[in-house]
Amino acid sequence: MVEYKVLITASGLGSRLGNLTKFTNKGLVRIGKKPALSYIIESYPDDVEFVVTLGHYGDQVEQFLNLAYPDKKITYVPVKNYDGIGSSLLYSMSLCKDELQCPFIFHACDTVVEKEEFDFSSNWVAGHKNGSSFQYRTLNVRNESLLKINEKGEEFFDYVYIGLCGIKDYELFWKYTDEILEDSLFRSIGIVSGLSDCHVISSMIDHSDFSVIDYKTWYDIGNVDSLKKSREEIPDRFHLLDKEDESIFIFDEDFVIKFFYDKQVCWSRIDRMLALKGLTPNYLASTDNFYKYQYVKGDTYSRVVDANNFKKFLNWSKDNLWKKTDIDISDKCEEFYFTKTYKRVVKYLTDNGMGTDSVCIINGQEIKSIFDLMTNIDKEYISSAEGYQFHGDCVLENIISKDDNYTLIDWRQDFGGDKYSGDIYYDLAKLKHNLTVNHDILDKELYTIDIDENNINVDIFRSNEKCECVKVLENFINEIGLDNKKVDIIKSLIWINMAPLHPQPIGDFLFYFGKYNLHLNL
């Protein structure tokens, strides 16, 4: 049994991460396969006790930790005043005083380090040799002992401070914490909001020794630039296009946790998982914003697909997934394909300051405005549909393949509000879209978008293997008596709908590539 506890302050706003913390807590921002909090929790012995402060989206933090680590002993301390007059890191820490009447480690929730055996023969602070004093407080050191903690901007220093320290003399720490928080001097010079563990340690140096631990590996997720760098360097990583209001976390080959800011979306996803039982991973547990399912071993299908096995997948889908529900979903289709698309187009134009869309030249052809193109679509032709059991985001990355069997992941929560009946044409169009536009192509920038006023060129790299798969898909659509032209029109609408959901230049590429293909298909 370890003789210390670990304090993790997860109550702050995380404002330096911009929109990434608009819908969640910064400790839940993914760095590799998991959120920062997981790397912190897992860097300590199994029997250590944690004290976690809760403020900004504190309910999400508590939900996640209870779901991911049900056997850990975690005490939660609510911080009501985590943003505003009187708030500070030190204030949040002070609320944990009663729970930390023992040696403890303070671990900032945006600091990720490798596992370490901690020695409590003295107090200690953790430093890193590389880093800018304009971003971090710094340490001056002599003979591996701490001389001074500097505020940001110090010219001469030995280490940057990484937000990790061990407090052996806890009684002295809390004594100075109380004095500093009550000190009118700090209030008079207006630095109350900046008070932190560093101010207490500076007061303790004359009375207690602090050793300095040199951390060679340190991942900082506290701001957008350092998060991007950390994601590139951390060995435990996977590629994923980020969404601000949802995330996926993978825990080795044990389980997966999905996060959704929208609680209704989360519960609808769970309902669909249960409805698709046998086609999806095994459900394990859930909370308002998270659900947990068993990890499925196998290959992400996008990595192994070829023309031969793709026909097997399509036949498997026909026999197991795409089953008729005998429900007319025409009204759902009209809302899904037309009302939603108009809203997405307006969002794209507004977000890019365009106001409206006009006639333009794309790849040498004169193309009408998107609104005129949409008017030329036969609504009844596209919308008339009989309901099927569906995936809803049927792309190769959302399929796990093993031994000619398949497991569906990351299914859509509904189709136009219906959780149990959707359009088979949408699943087929998503497949066809994905054989042309996919994460790897966008990530590697294997596409072209050149805009010269109203003269635009778009192009995209396509592998021969994927082109062969498209032929297989088109033959399959004919064999089951469906309409390839309808699939292609919906595929073009999918690209247009995706445009406002992605940063530039991807957004522009998707909009004009979709508009060009819609013109060709009409």
Side-chain angles (χ1 to χ4, degrees), residues 219-232:
Y219 303 109
D220 174 30
I221 69 152
N223 61 72
V224 173
D225 291 337
S226 61
L227 172 63
K228 181 180 179 181
K229 181 181 178 183
S230 295
R231 283 176 168 175
E232 292 170 350

Side-chain angles (χ1 to χ4, degrees), residues 270-280 389 419-420:
I270 295 168
D271 285 346
R272 293 219 58 229
M273 177 193 286
L274 299 178
L276 294 169
K277 188 175 181 180
L279 306 181
T280 61
Q389 180 176 262
K419 291 185 283 190
Y420 308 111

Side-chain angles (χ1 to χ4, degrees), residues 295-497:
Y295 179 86
V296 178
K297 294 183 180 180
D299 296 305
T300 303
Y301 192 38
S302 59
R303 302 298 182 192
V304 297
V305 66
D306 61 35
N308 292 322
N309 63 43
F310 190 50
K311 180 63 183 293
K312 293 179 181 179
F313 166 72
L314 292 172
N315 285 327
W316 176 91
S317 298
K318 177 171 65 71
D319 295 338
N320 296 278
L321 172 61
W322 296 318
K323 297 179 179 180
K324 284 188 178 182
T325 62
D326 296 324
I327 295 175
D328 188 300
I329 58 168
S330 299
D331 57 335
K332 304 291 184 185
C333 288
E334 182 170 343
E335 191 280 333
F336 196 80
Y337 295 132
F338 293 93
T339 305
K340 188 181 79 169
T341 301
Y342 278 115
K343 290 179 180 178
R344 289 282 180 87
V345 168
V346 170
K347 176 173 171 54
Y348 169 78
L349 296 174
T350 302
D351 290 350
N352 291 279
M354 297 170 65
T356 188
D357 182 48
S358 58
V359 175
C360 59
I361 306 298
I362 305 179
N363 292 354
Q365 294 197 41
E366 183 175 284
I367 313 290
K368 297 178 181 179
S369 77
I370 185 61
F371 299 110
D372 286 338
L373 286 173
M374 292 283 292
T375 301
N376 288 339
I377 302 174
D378 185 336
K379 274 190 179 183
E380 185 176 354
Y381 166 60
I382 296 298
S383 300
S384 297
E386 192 174 20
Y388 280 76
Q389 180 176 262
F390 67 103
H391 183 294
D393 194 8
C394 197
V395 297
L396 302 179
E397 289 87 355
N398 290 341
I399 300 157
I400 305 298
S401 169
K402 185 178 182 181
D403 301 329
D404 291 336
N405 200 12
Y406 307 92
T407 303
L408 308 178
I409 61 174
D410 212 15
W411 48 92
R412 187 179 177 85
Q413 64 271 12
D414 59 49
F415 183 86
D418 193 321
K419 291 185 283 190
Y420 308 111
S421 293
D423 188 6
I424 186 175
Y425 275 98
Y426 187 67
D427 272 4
L428 294 168
K430 288 288 284 191
L431 273 175
K432 200 167 188 181
H433 130 72
N434 186 242
L435 289 169
T436 299
V437 178
N438 52 64
H439 289 176
D440 284 344
I441 294 294
L442 297 179
D443 185 54
K444 295 174 182 177
E445 299 181 358
L446 298 175
Y447 63 90
T448 300
I449 174 71
D450 291 325
I451 302 176
D452 182 10
E453 295 184 353
N454 281 336
N455 197 333
I456 298 152
N457 287 296
V458 289
D459 198 5
I460 192 166
F461 170 86
R462 299 183 67 195
S463 71
N464 181 68
E465 196 66 69
K466 296 292 197 313
C467 290
E468 291 301 311
C469 287
V470 168
K471 294 178 183 177
V472 171
L473 178 58
E474 289 175 342
N475 289 335
F476 172 81
I477 291 169
N478 288 330
E479 288 171 8
I480 62 175
L482 297 181
D483 184 347
N484 268 295
K485 180 179 179 180
K486 186 172 176 178
V487 171
D488 285 332
I489 291 173
I490 294 172
K491 176 192 67 176
S492 301
L493 294 177
I494 287 171
W495 288 327
I496 292 166
N497 271 267

Side-chain angles (χ1 to χ4, degrees), residues 207-239:
H207 307 281
S208 298
D209 292 330
F210 278 82
S211 59
V212 177
I213 300 176
D214 180 4
Y215 271 81
K216 301 292 193 299
T217 302
W218 164 48
Y219 303 109
D220 174 30
I221 69 152
N223 61 72
V224 173
D225 291 337
S226 61
L227 172 63
K228 181 180 179 181
K229 181 181 178 183
S230 295
R231 283 176 168 175
E232 292 170 350
E233 294 180 354
I234 196 166
D236 183 27
R237 65 179 183 265
F238 70 102
H239 172 68

Side-chain angles (χ1 to χ4, degrees), residues 11 35 43 47 72 158 179 281 347 372 465-466 518:
S11 42
S43 68
D47 58 350
K72 296 285 187 185
D158 299 296
E179 291 180 2
K347 176 173 171 54
D372 286 338
E465 196 66 69
K466 296 292 197 313
L518 183 58

